[in-house]
Amino acid sequence: LGGSPGMSRSDLIAHMGQPERVRSNDGGSLLEFPGGPFGKQTWFVSLDAAGKVVRSEQVLTEKNFNRIEPGMSREEVRDLLGRPGEVQMLGRARGVVWSFRYENPNCNWFQVEISQQQQVRSAGNALAPECDGPDDRADK
């Protein structure tokens, strides 16, 4: 997936669909394409000034998740990981939780808690809700 180096912007969009977001990037542009199977991929595709693909990167990775730290701004997270797959409001107006599904063997998703001040409060992996099996506790 993503775009092949040298591919034109129009061919890329015909292949990937309309980008979620477009940003300026090193004299060219960076296009964001969330999606993939079950929303577990987000591609950032860099185009040069002529509108040709220079690089394609799947950004929902452990390496990028490990770069998220308390105090980062909401926009810094967005610029690193793209649009969250799900946004949940926290009670008592404490902020929101952004959830990102991604390819992994443990059925985890990565979650980032964003405070009312639009900064990361905490981040980490959790079991995705679709993988939470029946309640097998003996104390029902």
Side-chain angles (χ1 to χ4, degrees):
L1 291 171
S4 302
M7 180 183 275
S8 72
R9 179 186 177 115
S10 59
D11 287 345
L12 174 69
I13 290 173
H15 173 67
M16 300 283 294
Q18 286 298 319
E20 165 73 21
R21 185 167 72 148
V22 178
R23 296 180 272 156
S24 295
N25 182 32
D26 299 327
S29 54
L30 181 69
L31 283 63
E32 177 183 326
F33 297 96
F38 306 105
K40 293 183 177 183
Q41 297 177 351
T42 294
W43 290 90
F44 283 5
V45 181
S46 296
L47 305 179
D48 62 17
K52 300 286 185 187
V53 172
V54 177
R55 186 172 56 106
S56 238
E57 177 185 14
Q58 203 295 98
V59 298
L60 299 180
T61 65
E62 293 282 346
K63 178 183 171 187
N64 281 341
F65 298 152
N66 290 333
R67 295 170 65 187
I68 305 299
E69 297 179 1
M72 287 178 79
S73 75
R74 171 182 185 238
E75 281 308 308
E76 288 175 304
V77 174
R78 181 79 206 282
D79 289 348
L80 190 60
L81 301 178
R83 180 189 77 197
E86 192 172 306
V87 177
Q88 299 164 312
M89 300 296 292
L90 293 173
R92 291 180 260 159
R94 288 185 9 239
V96 297
V97 173
W98 286 1
S99 299
F100 300 87
R101 284 178 171 76
Y102 68 104
E103 299 289 341
N104 70 87
N106 301 317
C107 200
N108 286 336
W109 61 357
F110 185 73
Q111 295 186 301
V112 181
E113 184 181 357
I114 309 280
S115 70
Q116 284 185 302
Q117 293 74 33
Q118 305 303 305
Q119 292 183 319
V120 173
R121 183 177 291 127
S122 65
N125 286 311
L127 187 63
E130 64 270 15
C131 302
D132 194 11
D135 189 351
D136 293 328
R137 294 180 310 184
D139 63 341
K140 290 184 194 178

